[in-house]
Amino acid sequence: MADTSSGSFGDWRHRASHFYLLLIFFSFPLFSVPCPKGLCSTPVEVVTVHLVSKGINDAIAKALLYPGALFTKLESIVAENEPISLPDWDTLLDNITASLKDKEQNDRTFGLGLIIGSYLCLAGAIACVLGPTPLSAFGPLLILWSIYYEGGDLKDCYALPMFSVAVFCALSGISLSAKVPRGTNHSATSGDSLSNDEKSKPSSSNKKTK
């Protein structure tokens, strides 16, 4: 008989990992941290600002930003009755590039833990396409440590409520179940071995016959 409890738990883990992917790539606000852009609120923003500041090809940065811009545009269409349209590809980086040219804003740098954690969030979200993976947990936990470490000195550095949902979904990639042999199978195996031993022994009646 199939174990329905373990099956439902596995289904839940898959749903949570897919929801984590959506949270990351559709750029739901998870935290607030000072950055060269001013304030960054998603791992995608942190990675994009870091890539642009290092002179990486703009097409890569725009590709990372586009899903979040698409979701924001859809939200505006539904909530504010804006005309149906797609985000403008050419202007996706205007806000970031303008901020990086501002010396006062550009002096606000990232912590190393936040940068590494954001890259790990993206890597974990990509891996979640194939299902739950322990890789998804490293990024949010590292960002959480970075916010805790730097939040005492920076009033603009804190986690938003949605961050707890992201951590919860990310931890679903860690499987706590272990495969334990069933007692019935063990007893059946031992019973079979005993019956085989009895068959191998010569019967007492055969010993008495001459």
Side-chain angles (χ1 to χ4, degrees):
M1 184 175 180
D3 190 354
T4 57
S5 61
S6 62
S8 60
F9 178 70
D11 293 341
W12 173 85
R13 290 180 62 228
H14 276 82
R15 292 191 186 97
S17 65
H18 293 159
F19 188 63
Y20 174 73
L21 184 151
L22 296 178
L23 286 176
I24 298 301
F25 279 102
F26 282 99
S27 297
F28 283 79
L30 303 179
F31 48 75
S32 173
V33 293
C35 70
K37 175 179 171 286
L39 288 175
C40 289
S41 59
T42 70
V44 170
E45 266 189 314
V46 173
V47 171
T48 303
V49 173
H50 183 255
L51 291 176
V52 173
S53 65
K54 298 300 180 183
I56 301 299
N57 190 349
D58 288 351
I60 299 175
K62 289 179 179 180
L64 290 174
L65 286 177
Y66 198 81
L70 186 63
F71 182 80
T72 303
K73 190 70 175 178
L74 180 62
E75 198 174 28
S76 300
I77 293 171
V78 173
E80 302 175 9
N81 294 323
E82 287 190 4
I84 297 176
S85 61
L86 295 174
D88 187 0
W89 177 267
D90 295 330
T91 61
L92 280 176
L93 292 178
D94 287 356
N95 188 23
I96 294 177
T97 53
S99 300
L100 291 176
K101 292 177 182 178
D102 187 348
K103 188 178 186 313
E104 183 179 352
Q105 293 286 0
N106 205 10
D107 288 340
R108 308 178 80 177
T109 58
F110 294 119
L112 183 60
L114 184 67
I115 296 175
I116 297 175
S118 297
Y119 276 98
L120 287 175
C121 280
L122 266 66
I126 293 172
C128 282
V129 172
L130 302 177
T133 170
L135 180 61
S136 63
F138 295 121
L141 292 178
L142 190 54
I143 291 176
L144 183 63
W145 174 85
S146 180
I147 291 174
Y148 174 78
Y149 181 76
E150 299 180 8
D153 300 327
L154 302 172
K155 64 178 182 179
D156 294 334
C157 186
Y158 52 87
L160 297 174
M162 187 60 74
F163 187 74
S164 60
V165 178
V167 172
F168 181 76
C169 292
L171 292 177
S172 68
I174 301 175
S175 178
L176 301 179
S177 60
K179 293 183 178 180
V180 180
R182 294 178 181 271
T184 54
N185 293 338
H186 179 71
S187 60
T189 304
S190 60
D192 292 340
S193 62
L194 287 175
S195 62
N196 291 333
D197 292 341
E198 290 177 356
K199 290 179 180 179
S200 62
K201 292 179 180 180
S203 61
S204 57
S205 59
N206 291 334
K207 287 181 180 180
K208 291 179 181 180
T209 57
K210 294 182 181 179

